[in-house]
Amino acid sequence: ISDEQLVAFKLKAQHLRMDSTQISSNIRRASRLQLLVEIVQRVQRMLIEADQGRYELLLQPYVQGSAGQYVYRLKGESYDDHLQQIGQVMQRLISDLAADYGDQEAYQLLVRVFAEHFSVDDDQGDPRPKSGQQLAASSLQSPDDPIATYRHKTGEDFVGYVANLTESCHPDNPFQLVLKVQVEPNTTDDAQMLADT
């Protein structure tokens, strides 16, 4: 369509300009622990009734109310201890459920989040929470939008995407045309979008 418009209006496209902007994902902001609890809750809802009974005691602390309520109830308790405990629960679920639930979205999110938030010491096999600095910007921000990413740019935090627009800008044109619109995870560098364009 743009090619046809360029010809029809005799516009020149030898000069182009690009600009990008951040687009927020329509997701609720959650703390790290809140995100992990939400994933465990979704795994619990994925289980057939017999398996829900089998894991009832293991999952009971995490399925009473919302993930936000779980975090709120912690009050002065050690956040790190709860990260360690949920890591152990997640590790067991990954091992136990792989054969029967490996193709389920909730299970796949569980595997992804565990790998993003925990490291496993080969000697003992116990999961250790990664430090905040070790979490990648591409790590899961919400199970409702698994592609949205985190970016800190010009002193602000963004969760979502980057949109990049390319338009003609030749001084002889009576008007300019938008020629390309790109939307990528917001960890995508402007130089990469320029190269793609």
CSV table of all heavy atoms in Angstrom, one decimal, residues 95-155:
chain,number,residue,atom,x,y,z
A,95,SER,N,9.6,-31.4,38.6
A,95,SER,CA,10.0,-32.8,38.5
A,95,SER,C,8.8,-33.8,38.4
A,95,SER,O,8.7,-34.7,37.5
A,95,SER,CB,10.9,-33.2,39.7
A,95,SER,OG,11.2,-34.5,39.7
A,96,ASP,N,7.8,-33.6,39.3
A,96,ASP,CA,6.7,-34.5,39.4
A,96,ASP,C,5.7,-34.4,38.2
A,96,ASP,O,5.1,-35.4,37.9
A,96,ASP,CB,5.9,-34.2,40.7
A,96,ASP,CG,6.7,-34.7,41.9
A,96,ASP,OD1,7.8,-35.2,41.8
A,96,ASP,OD2,6.1,-34.5,43.1
A,97,LEU,N,5.5,-33.2,37.7
A,97,LEU,CA,4.5,-33.0,36.7
A,97,LEU,C,4.9,-33.1,35.3
A,97,LEU,O,4.0,-33.0,34.4
A,97,LEU,CB,3.8,-31.7,37.0
A,97,LEU,CG,3.2,-31.4,38.4
A,97,LEU,CD1,2.6,-30.0,38.5
A,97,LEU,CD2,2.2,-32.5,38.8
A,98,ALA,N,6.1,-33.2,35.0
A,98,ALA,CA,6.6,-33.1,33.6
A,98,ALA,C,6.0,-34.1,32.7
A,98,ALA,O,5.5,-33.7,31.6
A,98,ALA,CB,8.2,-33.3,33.6
A,99,ALA,N,5.8,-35.3,33.1
A,99,ALA,CA,5.3,-36.4,32.2
A,99,ALA,C,3.8,-36.1,31.9
A,99,ALA,O,3.4,-36.3,30.7
A,99,ALA,CB,5.4,-37.8,32.9
A,100,ASP,N,3.0,-35.7,32.8
A,100,ASP,CA,1.6,-35.6,32.6
A,100,ASP,C,1.2,-34.2,32.1
A,100,ASP,O,0.1,-34.0,31.5
A,100,ASP,CB,0.8,-36.0,33.8
A,100,ASP,CG,0.9,-37.4,34.2
A,100,ASP,OD1,1.1,-38.2,33.2
A,100,ASP,OD2,0.9,-37.7,35.4
A,101,TYR,N,1.9,-33.2,32.5
A,101,TYR,CA,1.5,-31.8,32.2
A,101,TYR,C,2.5,-31.0,31.4
A,101,TYR,O,2.3,-29.8,31.2
A,101,TYR,CB,1.2,-31.1,33.5
A,101,TYR,CG,0.1,-31.7,34.3
A,101,TYR,CD1,0.4,-32.6,35.4
A,101,TYR,CD2,-1.2,-31.3,34.1
A,101,TYR,CE1,-0.6,-33.1,36.1
A,101,TYR,CE2,-2.2,-31.8,34.9
A,101,TYR,CZ,-1.9,-32.8,35.9
A,101,TYR,OH,-3.0,-33.3,36.6
A,102,GLY,N,3.5,-31.6,30.9
A,102,GLY,CA,4.6,-30.9,30.2
A,102,GLY,C,4.2,-30.0,29.0
A,102,GLY,O,4.8,-29.0,28.7
A,103,ASP,N,3.0,-30.3,28.4
A,103,ASP,CA,2.6,-29.5,27.3
A,103,ASP,C,1.6,-28.4,27.7
A,103,ASP,O,1.2,-27.7,26.8
A,103,ASP,CB,1.9,-30.5,26.2
A,103,ASP,CG,0.7,-31.2,26.8
A,103,ASP,OD1,0.6,-31.3,28.0
A,103,ASP,OD2,-0.1,-31.7,26.0
A,104,GLN,N,1.3,-28.3,28.9
A,104,GLN,CA,0.4,-27.3,29.4
A,104,GLN,C,1.1,-25.9,29.6
A,104,GLN,O,2.2,-25.9,30.0
A,104,GLN,CB,-0.2,-27.7,30.8
A,104,GLN,CG,-1.1,-29.0,30.7
A,104,GLN,CD,-2.4,-28.8,29.9
A,104,GLN,OE1,-3.0,-27.8,30.1
A,104,GLN,NE2,-2.7,-29.7,29.1
A,105,GLU,N,0.4,-24.9,29.3
A,105,GLU,CA,1.0,-23.5,29.3
A,105,GLU,C,1.4,-23.2,30.8
A,105,GLU,O,2.5,-22.6,31.0
A,105,GLU,CB,-0.1,-22.5,28.9
A,105,GLU,CG,0.5,-21.0,28.9
A,105,GLU,CD,-0.5,-20.0,28.5
A,105,GLU,OE1,-1.7,-20.4,28.2
A,105,GLU,OE2,-0.1,-18.8,28.4
A,106,ALA,N,0.6,-23.5,31.8
A,106,ALA,CA,0.9,-23.2,33.1
A,106,ALA,C,2.2,-23.9,33.6
A,106,ALA,O,3.0,-23.4,34.3
A,106,ALA,CB,-0.2,-23.6,34.1
A,107,TYR,N,2.3,-25.2,33.1
A,107,TYR,CA,3.6,-25.9,33.5
A,107,TYR,C,4.8,-25.3,32.8
A,107,TYR,O,5.8,-25.1,33.4
A,107,TYR,CB,3.5,-27.4,33.0
A,107,TYR,CG,4.7,-28.2,33.3
A,107,TYR,CD1,5.0,-28.7,34.6
A,107,TYR,CD2,5.7,-28.3,32.3
A,107,TYR,CE1,6.2,-29.4,34.8
A,107,TYR,CE2,6.9,-29.0,32.6
A,107,TYR,CZ,7.1,-29.5,33.8
A,107,TYR,OH,8.3,-30.2,34.1
A,108,GLN,N,4.6,-24.9,31.5
A,108,GLN,CA,5.8,-24.3,30.8
A,108,GLN,C,6.2,-22.9,31.4
A,108,GLN,O,7.3,-22.6,31.5
A,108,GLN,CB,5.4,-24.1,29.3
A,108,GLN,CG,5.3,-25.4,28.6
A,108,GLN,CD,4.6,-25.4,27.3
A,108,GLN,OE1,4.2,-24.3,26.8
A,108,GLN,NE2,4.5,-26.5,26.6
A,109,LEU,N,5.2,-22.2,31.9
A,109,LEU,CA,5.5,-20.9,32.7
A,109,LEU,C,6.2,-21.2,34.0
A,109,LEU,O,7.1,-20.5,34.3
A,109,LEU,CB,4.2,-20.1,32.9
A,109,LEU,CG,3.6,-19.4,31.7
A,109,LEU,CD1,2.3,-18.7,32.1
A,109,LEU,CD2,4.6,-18.3,31.2
A,110,LEU,N,5.8,-22.3,34.6
A,110,LEU,CA,6.5,-22.7,35.9
A,110,LEU,C,8.0,-23.0,35.6
A,110,LEU,O,8.8,-22.5,36.3
A,110,LEU,CB,5.8,-24.0,36.4
A,110,LEU,CG,6.5,-24.6,37.6
A,110,LEU,CD1,6.3,-23.8,38.9
A,110,LEU,CD2,5.8,-26.0,37.9
A,111,VAL,N,8.2,-23.7,34.5
A,111,VAL,CA,9.6,-24.1,34.2
A,111,VAL,C,10.4,-22.8,33.9
A,111,VAL,O,11.5,-22.6,34.3
A,111,VAL,CB,9.7,-25.1,33.0
A,111,VAL,CG1,11.1,-25.3,32.5
A,111,VAL,CG2,9.0,-26.4,33.4
A,112,ARG,N,9.8,-21.9,33.1
A,112,ARG,CA,10.5,-20.7,32.7
A,112,ARG,C,10.8,-19.8,33.9
A,112,ARG,O,11.9,-19.4,34.1
A,112,ARG,CB,9.6,-19.9,31.7
A,112,ARG,CG,10.1,-18.5,31.4
A,112,ARG,CD,9.2,-17.7,30.5
A,112,ARG,NE,9.7,-16.4,30.4
A,112,ARG,CZ,9.1,-15.4,29.7
A,112,ARG,NH1,7.9,-15.7,29.0
A,112,ARG,NH2,9.6,-14.2,29.6
A,113,VAL,N,9.8,-19.6,34.8
A,113,VAL,CA,10.0,-18.7,35.9
A,113,VAL,C,11.0,-19.3,36.9
A,113,VAL,O,11.8,-18.6,37.5
A,113,VAL,CB,8.6,-18.4,36.6
A,113,VAL,CG1,8.8,-17.8,37.9
A,113,VAL,CG2,7.8,-17.5,35.7
A,114,PHE,N,11.0,-20.6,37.1
A,114,PHE,CA,11.9,-21.3,38.0
A,114,PHE,C,13.4,-21.0,37.4
A,114,PHE,O,14.3,-20.7,38.2
A,114,PHE,CB,11.6,-22.8,38.1
A,114,PHE,CG,12.6,-23.5,39.0
A,114,PHE,CD1,12.4,-23.4,40.4
A,114,PHE,CD2,13.7,-24.2,38.5
A,114,PHE,CE1,13.3,-24.0,41.2
A,114,PHE,CE2,14.6,-24.8,39.3
A,114,PHE,CZ,14.4,-24.8,40.7
A,115,ALA,N,13.6,-21.2,36.2
A,115,ALA,CA,14.9,-21.0,35.6
A,115,ALA,C,15.3,-19.6,35.7
A,115,ALA,O,16.5,-19.3,35.9
A,115,ALA,CB,14.9,-21.5,34.1
A,116,GLU,N,14.4,-18.6,35.5
A,116,GLU,CA,14.7,-17.2,35.6
A,116,GLU,C,15.0,-16.7,37.0
A,116,GLU,O,15.9,-15.8,37.2
A,116,GLU,CB,13.6,-16.4,35.0
A,116,GLU,CG,13.4,-16.5,33.5
A,116,GLU,CD,12.1,-15.9,33.0
A,116,GLU,OE1,11.2,-15.5,33.8
A,116,GLU,OE2,12.0,-15.7,31.8
A,117,HIS,N,14.4,-17.3,38.0
A,117,HIS,CA,14.5,-16.8,39.4
A,117,HIS,C,15.4,-17.7,40.3
A,117,HIS,O,15.7,-17.2,41.4
A,117,HIS,CB,13.1,-16.7,40.0
A,117,HIS,CG,12.4,-15.5,39.4
A,117,HIS,ND1,12.3,-14.3,40.0
A,117,HIS,CD2,11.6,-15.4,38.3
A,117,HIS,CE1,11.6,-13.5,39.3
A,117,HIS,NE2,11.2,-14.1,38.3
A,118,PHE,N,15.8,-18.9,39.9
A,118,PHE,CA,16.5,-19.7,40.8
A,118,PHE,C,17.7,-20.4,40.1
A,118,PHE,O,17.6,-20.6,38.9
A,118,PHE,CB,15.6,-20.8,41.4
A,118,PHE,CG,14.5,-20.3,42.2
A,118,PHE,CD1,13.2,-20.1,41.6
A,118,PHE,CD2,14.6,-20.1,43.6
A,118,PHE,CE1,12.2,-19.6,42.4
A,118,PHE,CE2,13.6,-19.6,44.3
A,118,PHE,CZ,12.4,-19.3,43.7
A,119,SER,N,18.7,-20.6,40.8
A,119,SER,CA,19.8,-21.4,40.3
A,119,SER,C,19.9,-22.7,41.2
A,119,SER,O,19.6,-22.6,42.4
A,119,SER,CB,21.1,-20.6,40.3
A,119,SER,OG,21.4,-20.2,41.6
A,120,VAL,N,20.4,-23.7,40.6
A,120,VAL,CA,20.4,-25.0,41.4
A,120,VAL,C,21.9,-25.4,41.5
A,120,VAL,O,22.6,-25.5,40.5
A,120,VAL,CB,19.6,-26.1,40.7
A,120,VAL,CG1,19.7,-27.4,41.4
A,120,VAL,CG2,18.2,-25.7,40.5
A,121,ASP,N,22.3,-25.6,42.7
A,121,ASP,CA,23.7,-26.0,43.0
A,121,ASP,C,23.8,-27.5,42.6
A,121,ASP,O,23.0,-28.3,43.1
A,121,ASP,CB,24.0,-25.8,44.5
A,121,ASP,CG,25.5,-26.1,44.8
A,121,ASP,OD1,26.2,-26.5,43.9
A,121,ASP,OD2,25.9,-25.9,45.9
A,122,ASP,N,24.7,-27.9,41.8
A,122,ASP,CA,24.8,-29.2,41.3
A,122,ASP,C,25.1,-30.2,42.4
A,122,ASP,O,24.7,-31.4,42.4
A,122,ASP,CB,25.9,-29.4,40.2
A,122,ASP,CG,25.5,-28.7,38.9
A,122,ASP,OD1,24.3,-28.5,38.7
A,122,ASP,OD2,26.4,-28.3,38.2
A,123,ASP,N,25.8,-29.8,43.5
A,123,ASP,CA,26.2,-30.7,44.5
A,123,ASP,C,25.0,-31.1,45.4
A,123,ASP,O,24.9,-32.3,45.7
A,123,ASP,CB,27.3,-30.0,45.5
A,123,ASP,CG,28.6,-29.7,44.7
A,123,ASP,OD1,28.8,-30.4,43.7
A,123,ASP,OD2,29.3,-28.8,45.1
A,124,GLN,N,24.2,-30.1,45.8
A,124,GLN,CA,23.1,-30.5,46.7
A,124,GLN,C,21.7,-30.5,46.0
A,124,GLN,O,20.8,-31.1,46.5
A,124,GLN,CB,23.1,-29.5,47.9
A,124,GLN,CG,24.3,-29.5,48.7
A,124,GLN,CD,24.4,-28.3,49.6
A,124,GLN,OE1,23.8,-27.3,49.4
A,124,GLN,NE2,25.3,-28.5,50.6
A,125,GLY,N,21.6,-29.8,44.9
A,125,GLY,CA,20.4,-29.9,44.2
A,125,GLY,C,19.3,-28.9,44.7
A,125,GLY,O,18.2,-28.9,44.2
A,126,ASP,N,19.6,-28.1,45.7
A,126,ASP,CA,18.6,-27.2,46.3
A,126,ASP,C,18.6,-25.9,45.5
A,126,ASP,O,19.6,-25.4,45.1
A,126,ASP,CB,18.9,-26.9,47.7
A,126,ASP,CG,18.7,-28.1,48.6
A,126,ASP,OD1,17.8,-28.9,48.3
A,126,ASP,OD2,19.4,-28.2,49.7
A,127,PRO,N,17.4,-25.4,45.2
A,127,PRO,CA,17.3,-24.1,44.4
A,127,PRO,C,17.7,-22.9,45.3
A,127,PRO,O,17.4,-22.9,46.5
A,127,PRO,CB,15.9,-24.0,44.0
A,127,PRO,CG,15.1,-24.8,45.0
A,127,PRO,CD,16.1,-25.9,45.5
A,128,ARG,N,18.5,-22.0,44.8
A,128,ARG,CA,18.8,-20.8,45.5
A,128,ARG,C,18.2,-19.6,44.7
A,128,ARG,O,18.4,-19.5,43.5
A,128,ARG,CB,20.3,-20.6,45.6
A,128,ARG,CG,21.0,-21.5,46.6
A,128,ARG,CD,22.5,-21.2,46.7
A,128,ARG,NE,23.1,-20.6,45.6
A,128,ARG,CZ,23.6,-21.2,44.5
A,128,ARG,NH1,23.6,-22.5,44.4
A,128,ARG,NH2,24.2,-20.6,43.5
A,129,PRO,N,17.5,-18.7,45.3
A,129,PRO,CA,17.0,-17.5,44.6
A,129,PRO,C,18.2,-16.7,44.1
A,129,PRO,O,19.2,-16.5,44.7
A,129,PRO,CB,16.3,-16.7,45.7
A,129,PRO,CG,16.0,-17.7,46.8
A,129,PRO,CD,17.1,-18.7,46.8
A,130,LYS,N,18.0,-16.3,42.8
A,130,LYS,CA,19.0,-15.4,42.2
A,130,LYS,C,18.8,-14.0,42.8
A,130,LYS,O,17.7,-13.6,43.3
A,130,LYS,CB,18.8,-15.3,40.7
A,130,LYS,CG,19.1,-16.6,40.0
A,130,LYS,CD,18.9,-16.5,38.5
A,130,LYS,CE,19.2,-17.8,37.8
A,130,LYS,NZ,18.9,-17.7,36.3
A,131,SER,N,19.8,-13.2,42.8
A,131,SER,CA,19.7,-11.8,43.3
A,131,SER,C,18.9,-11.0,42.3
A,131,SER,O,18.8,-11.4,41.1
A,131,SER,CB,21.1,-11.2,43.5
A,131,SER,OG,21.7,-11.0,42.3
A,132,GLY,N,18.4,-9.9,42.7
A,132,GLY,CA,17.7,-9.0,41.8
A,132,GLY,C,18.5,-8.6,40.6
A,132,GLY,O,18.0,-8.5,39.5
A,133,GLN,N,19.8,-8.4,40.8
A,133,GLN,CA,20.7,-8.0,39.7
A,133,GLN,C,20.9,-9.1,38.7
A,133,GLN,O,21.3,-8.9,37.6
A,133,GLN,CB,22.0,-7.5,40.3
A,133,GLN,CG,22.0,-6.2,41.0
A,133,GLN,CD,21.4,-6.4,42.5
A,133,GLN,OE1,21.5,-7.5,43.0
A,133,GLN,NE2,20.9,-5.4,43.1
A,134,GLN,N,20.6,-10.4,39.1
A,134,GLN,CA,20.8,-11.5,38.2
A,134,GLN,C,19.6,-11.8,37.3
A,134,GLN,O,19.7,-12.6,36.4
A,134,GLN,CB,21.1,-12.8,39.0
A,134,GLN,CG,22.5,-12.8,39.7
A,134,GLN,CD,22.7,-14.0,40.5
A,134,GLN,OE1,22.0,-14.3,41.5
A,134,GLN,NE2,23.7,-14.8,40.2
A,135,LEU,N,18.5,-11.1,37.6
A,135,LEU,CA,17.3,-11.4,36.8
A,135,LEU,C,17.4,-10.6,35.5
A,135,LEU,O,17.7,-9.4,35.5
A,135,LEU,CB,16.1,-10.9,37.6
A,135,LEU,CG,15.8,-11.6,38.9
A,135,LEU,CD1,14.5,-11.0,39.5
A,135,LEU,CD2,15.6,-13.1,38.7
A,136,ALA,N,17.1,-11.3,34.4
A,136,ALA,CA,17.2,-10.7,33.1
A,136,ALA,C,16.0,-9.8,32.9
A,136,ALA,O,14.9,-10.0,33.4
A,136,ALA,CB,17.3,-11.8,32.1
A,137,ALA,N,16.3,-8.7,32.1
A,137,ALA,CA,15.2,-7.8,31.7
A,137,ALA,C,14.1,-8.6,30.9
A,137,ALA,O,12.9,-8.2,30.9
A,137,ALA,CB,15.7,-6.7,30.8
A,138,SER,N,14.5,-9.7,30.3
A,138,SER,CA,13.5,-10.5,29.5
A,138,SER,C,12.7,-11.5,30.4
A,138,SER,O,11.9,-12.2,29.8
A,138,SER,CB,14.2,-11.2,28.4
A,138,SER,OG,15.2,-12.1,28.9
A,139,SER,N,13.0,-11.5,31.7
A,139,SER,CA,12.3,-12.4,32.5
A,139,SER,C,10.8,-12.1,32.6
A,139,SER,O,10.4,-11.0,32.3
A,139,SER,CB,12.9,-12.4,33.9
A,139,SER,OG,12.6,-11.2,34.6
A,140,LEU,N,10.0,-13.1,32.9
A,140,LEU,CA,8.5,-13.0,32.9
A,140,LEU,C,8.1,-11.8,33.8
A,140,LEU,O,8.5,-11.8,35.0
A,140,LEU,CB,7.9,-14.3,33.3
A,140,LEU,CG,6.3,-14.3,33.2
A,140,LEU,CD1,5.9,-14.4,31.7
A,140,LEU,CD2,5.8,-15.5,33.9
A,141,GLN,N,7.3,-10.9,33.3
A,141,GLN,CA,6.7,-9.8,34.1
A,141,GLN,C,5.3,-10.2,34.6
A,141,GLN,O,4.9,-9.7,35.6
A,141,GLN,CB,6.7,-8.6,33.3
A,141,GLN,CG,8.1,-8.1,32.8
A,141,GLN,CD,9.0,-7.8,33.9
A,141,GLN,OE1,8.7,-7.1,34.8
A,141,GLN,NE2,10.2,-8.5,33.9
A,142,SER,N,4.6,-11.0,33.8
A,142,SER,CA,3.2,-11.4,34.1
A,142,SER,C,2.8,-12.6,33.3
A,142,SER,O,3.2,-12.7,32.1
A,142,SER,CB,2.2,-10.2,33.8
A,142,SER,OG,0.9,-10.7,33.8
A,143,PRO,N,2.1,-13.6,34.0
A,143,PRO,CA,1.7,-14.7,33.2
A,143,PRO,C,0.6,-14.4,32.2
A,143,PRO,O,0.4,-15.2,31.3
A,143,PRO,CB,1.2,-15.7,34.3
A,143,PRO,CG,0.8,-14.8,35.5
A,143,PRO,CD,1.8,-13.6,35.4
A,144,ASP,N,0.0,-13.2,32.3
A,144,ASP,CA,-1.0,-12.8,31.3
A,144,ASP,C,-0.4,-12.2,30.1
A,144,ASP,O,-1.1,-11.9,29.1
A,144,ASP,CB,-1.9,-11.8,32.0
A,144,ASP,CG,-2.7,-12.4,33.1
A,144,ASP,OD1,-3.2,-13.6,33.0
A,144,ASP,OD2,-2.8,-11.8,34.2
A,145,ASP,N,0.9,-11.8,30.1
A,145,ASP,CA,1.6,-11.3,28.9
A,145,ASP,C,3.0,-11.8,28.9
A,145,ASP,O,3.9,-11.0,29.3
A,145,ASP,CB,1.5,-9.8,28.9
A,145,ASP,CG,2.0,-9.1,27.6
A,145,ASP,OD1,2.5,-9.9,26.8
A,145,ASP,OD2,1.8,-7.9,27.5
A,146,PRO,N,3.2,-13.0,28.5
A,146,PRO,CA,4.6,-13.6,28.6
A,146,PRO,C,5.6,-13.0,27.7
A,146,PRO,O,6.8,-13.3,27.9
A,146,PRO,CB,4.4,-15.1,28.3
A,146,PRO,CG,3.1,-15.1,27.6
A,146,PRO,CD,2.2,-14.0,28.0
A,147,ILE,N,5.3,-12.1,26.8
A,147,ILE,CA,6.2,-11.5,25.9
A,147,ILE,C,6.7,-10.1,26.4
A,147,ILE,O,7.8,-9.7,26.1
A,147,ILE,CB,5.6,-11.4,24.5
A,147,ILE,CG1,5.2,-12.7,24.0
A,147,ILE,CG2,6.6,-10.7,23.5
A,147,ILE,CD1,4.5,-12.7,22.7
A,148,ALA,N,5.9,-9.5,27.3
A,148,ALA,CA,6.3,-8.2,27.8
A,148,ALA,C,7.6,-8.3,28.6
A,148,ALA,O,7.9,-9.2,29.3
A,148,ALA,CB,5.2,-7.6,28.8
A,149,THR,N,8.4,-7.2,28.4
A,149,THR,CA,9.7,-7.2,29.1
A,149,THR,C,9.9,-5.9,29.9
A,149,THR,O,9.1,-5.0,29.8
A,149,THR,CB,10.9,-7.3,28.0
A,149,THR,OG1,10.7,-6.3,27.0
A,149,THR,CG2,10.9,-8.7,27.4
A,150,TYR,N,11.0,-5.9,30.7
A,150,TYR,CA,11.3,-4.8,31.5
A,150,TYR,C,12.4,-4.0,30.9
A,150,TYR,O,13.4,-4.5,30.4
A,150,TYR,CB,11.7,-5.3,32.9
A,150,TYR,CG,12.3,-4.2,33.8
A,150,TYR,CD1,11.5,-3.3,34.5
A,150,TYR,CD2,13.7,-4.0,33.9
A,150,TYR,CE1,12.0,-2.3,35.3
A,150,TYR,CE2,14.2,-3.0,34.7
A,150,TYR,CZ,13.4,-2.2,35.4
A,150,TYR,OH,13.9,-1.2,36.1
A,151,ARG,N,12.3,-2.6,31.1
A,151,ARG,CA,13.4,-1.8,30.6
A,151,ARG,C,13.5,-0.5,31.5
A,151,ARG,O,12.4,0.1,31.8
A,151,ARG,CB,13.2,-1.4,29.1
A,151,ARG,CG,14.4,-0.6,28.6
A,151,ARG,CD,14.3,-0.5,27.1
A,151,ARG,NE,15.5,0.1,26.5
A,151,ARG,CZ,15.7,0.3,25.3
A,151,ARG,NH1,14.8,0.0,24.4
A,151,ARG,NH2,16.8,0.9,24.8
A,152,HIS,N,14.7,-0.2,31.8
A,152,HIS,CA,14.9,1.1,32.5
A,152,HIS,C,15.6,2.0,31.5
A,152,HIS,O,16.7,1.8,31.0
A,152,HIS,CB,15.8,0.8,33.7
A,152,HIS,CG,16.1,2.1,34.6
A,152,HIS,ND1,15.1,2.5,35.5
A,152,HIS,CD2,17.1,3.0,34.6
A,152,HIS,CE1,15.6,3.6,36.1
A,152,HIS,NE2,16.8,3.9,35.5
A,153,LYS,N,14.9,3.1,31.2
A,153,LYS,CA,15.4,4.0,30.2
A,153,LYS,C,15.1,5.5,30.6
A,153,LYS,O,14.0,5.8,31.1
A,153,LYS,CB,14.7,3.7,28.8
A,153,LYS,CG,15.2,4.6,27.7
A,153,LYS,CD,14.5,4.2,26.4
A,153,LYS,CE,15.0,5.0,25.2
A,153,LYS,NZ,14.4,4.7,24.0
A,154,THR,N,16.1,6.3,30.5
A,154,THR,CA,16.1,7.7,30.9
A,154,THR,C,15.4,7.9,32.3
A,154,THR,O,14.6,8.8,32.4
A,154,THR,CB,15.3,8.5,29.8
A,154,THR,OG1,13.9,8.1,29.7
A,154,THR,CG2,16.0,8.5,28.4
A,155,GLY,N,15.9,7.1,33.2
A,155,GLY,CA,15.4,7.3,34.6
A,155,GLY,C,14.1,6.7,34.9
A,155,GLY,O,13.6,6.9,36.0
